[in-house]
Amino acid sequence: MITFDAVTKAFPGGTVAVDNLSIELPTGQITVFVGPSGCGKTTSLRMINRLIEPTSGTISIDGEDVTKQDAAVLRRKIGYVIQHAGLFPHRTVQDNIATVPLLNGVNKKQARENAVELLGRVGLDASMATRYPAQLSGGQQQRVGVARALAADPPVMLMDEPFSAVDPIVRDGLQKEFLRLQAEVGKTIAFVTHDIDEAIKLGDTVAVFREGGHLAQVGTPQELLDDPADDFVADFVGRDRGFRGLSFVTAEGLEVEPVQTYVDGVRGVRLLLDDAGRPRGWTVNGSDDVRAITGTFTKQDSLRLVTDLAISSPAGVAVRVDGDGVADGAATHASIADHLADARRESAG
Ligand SMILES: Nc1ncnc2c1ncn2[C@@H]1O[C@H](COP(=O)(O)OP(=O)(O)O)[C@@H](O)[C@H]1O
Ligand SMILES: [Mg+2]
């Protein structure tokens, strides 16, 4: 566990970047620091690995005050990922990843072998190992940044806007991989973002910061959406927080209509399936144009995805598929609304 106890940071010149912060970051979980620019997120993060020293208060990891530890030794136990990955441009991918293991005395051959294995874990091909950072896309560089931070298998990871500089589709992929990886490795992670959607997607716990380095609220994503502490948090989590809240309800138990109804056609719209029964697209009013299907859902997906698919589909339904990708039902707006009402009733107890 990482503990901030009454931590304040005032920079020379008088800016109070972090004001009397007390918060606990549970072991093995992702805690997200979110808030508008300049509210002290990065400063808070960098005090954990002592790139910045607090003016007062203490930060401890598993009960040990970080300022009492040798900074270089401390940093080898803490992975650090930043925006634009911060890779060394003149080192190959494998040597970037091997940086800290080499410092820790692992031999070069072993460190490179481990680096190649790590590439696989972050979803990159082993052939990338001998490339230089400039020969990778932004998203690939970020993955290498994550692999490098993981290389020494540190118990703690600090991530400062690691996915902010890539386009939304790549970001979505990185976020999913990151959650999958965290489910395997279970690191204690402090993750900074200015994006409330990212915070809600990734955080086990979300800490909302406001200007002046004040902590406005800490809670689970659901708690922040359901019960914002004040107007600032309510405004920050956004007007469409009801819609965001759909992320926490899954499509398990959602009533669907027989998919055949839509294959036969409703209001001039027909669902096309391939020979195996997988959805291919929609045709409208008998036209030869096939409109690509924008997505399908499974029982494990969120009601947010289902709602989005239903709204954007020409038939006004979201198509459900089984584990083989075969269409096995269609969810209408009415069934989504009913399912949501049921979920609300259940959670109200
Ligand atoms: N080295 C520094 N010297 C003086 N002021 C700084 C320094 N670093 C950050 N600040 C100020 O501290 C405040 C918080 O900055 P920061 O922690 O980077 O915010 P965030 O990461 O939330 O955008 C800002 O007002 C910023 O200008
Ligand atoms: Mg910052």
Side-chain angles (χ1 to χ4, degrees), residues 163-236:
F163 309 141
S164 296
V166 295
D167 66 67
I169 293 182
V170 174
R171 187 182 315 145
D172 195 58
L174 288 169
Q175 289 167 341
K176 285 197 179 119
E177 293 258 327
F178 170 63
L179 287 176
R180 186 188 53 69
L181 196 60
Q182 167 65 357
E184 282 172 28
V185 297
K187 302 291 182 194
T188 305
I189 297 175
F191 189 108
V192 164
T193 180
H194 62 270
D195 175 359
I196 185 67
D197 270 321
E198 182 165 75
I200 283 168
K201 231 189 261 180
L202 302 183
D204 296 304
T205 305
V206 176
V208 182
F209 285 63
R210 59 146 49 102
E211 211 179 312
H214 299 286
L215 185 59
Q217 188 172 2
V218 189
T220 63
Q222 180 109 55
E223 283 165 356
L224 295 182
L225 291 167
D226 287 353
D227 194 14
D230 56 23
D231 289 349
F232 170 79
V233 179
D235 196 44
F236 191 71

Side-chain angles (χ1 to χ4, degrees), residues 15 23 40 48 59 63 81 120 135 154 157 172 204 220 222 247-248 274 294-295 297 311 316 318 333:
T15 304
I23 185 176
I48 299 173
I59 298 172
V81 189
Q135 297 169 307
M157 297 256 286
D172 195 58
D204 296 304
T220 63
Q222 180 109 55
S247 311
F248 305 107
D274 69 11
T294 51
F297 72 98
I311 291 169
H333 295 291

Side-chain angles (χ1 to χ4, degrees), residues 53-97:
E53 302 287 358
T55 310
S56 61
T58 53
I59 298 172
S60 50
I61 300 179
D62 296 331
E64 281 189 63
D65 186 341
V66 294
T67 60
K68 304 261 160 66
Q69 303 177 44
D70 181 78
V73 174
L74 176 76
R75 282 179 207 143
R76 282 181 213 167
K77 294 187 290 189
I78 301 179
Y80 186 42
V81 189
I82 56 174
Q83 206 176 0
H84 301 296
L87 301 176
F88 304 113
H90 303 299
R91 288 189 200 163
T92 60
V93 164
Q94 65 186 1
D95 288 346
N96 263 282
I97 296 174

Side-chain angles (χ1 to χ4, degrees), residues 9-18 34-46 52 160-161 192-194 209 211-213:
K9 176 65 190 183
F11 283 109
T15 304
V16 177
V18 178
V34 67
S37 175
C39 65
K41 305 179 298 293
T42 293
T43 304
S44 299
L45 198 72
R46 289 162 68 96
I52 296 175
D160 194 349
E161 311 241 6
V192 164
T193 180
H194 62 270
F209 285 63
E211 211 179 312

